[in-house]
Amino acid sequence: MGSFLMELWAFMKERKKFWLLPILVVLLLFGTLIVLTQGSAVAPFIYTLF
């Protein structure tokens, strides 16, 4: 996983595609939110945020 992140960072740095970083961070946060709240008692309250 570490080599993937280093390669992704090198790609963004070389190609000047730093605008991809916020998109990837948001996708990672949403993915984490979905995994952590799946089947949880907190799940109904998350729907009110969206």
Side-chain angles (χ1 to χ4, degrees):
M1 186 67 173
S3 64
F4 171 74
L5 293 176
M6 289 174 48
E7 191 172 330
L8 180 64
W9 177 250
F11 168 78
M12 289 191 302
K13 188 175 169 184
E14 185 174 326
R15 302 272 198 276
K16 306 290 189 237
K17 303 231 183 246
F18 294 112
W19 55 269
L20 285 172
L21 192 60
I23 295 171
L24 293 173
V25 168
V26 168
L27 285 174
L28 181 68
L29 288 175
F30 277 135
T32 305
L33 182 68
I34 289 171
V35 168
L36 290 178
T37 59
Q38 192 169 8
S40 168
V42 182
F45 299 109
I46 296 207
Y47 296 121
T48 61
L49 295 175
F50 303 104

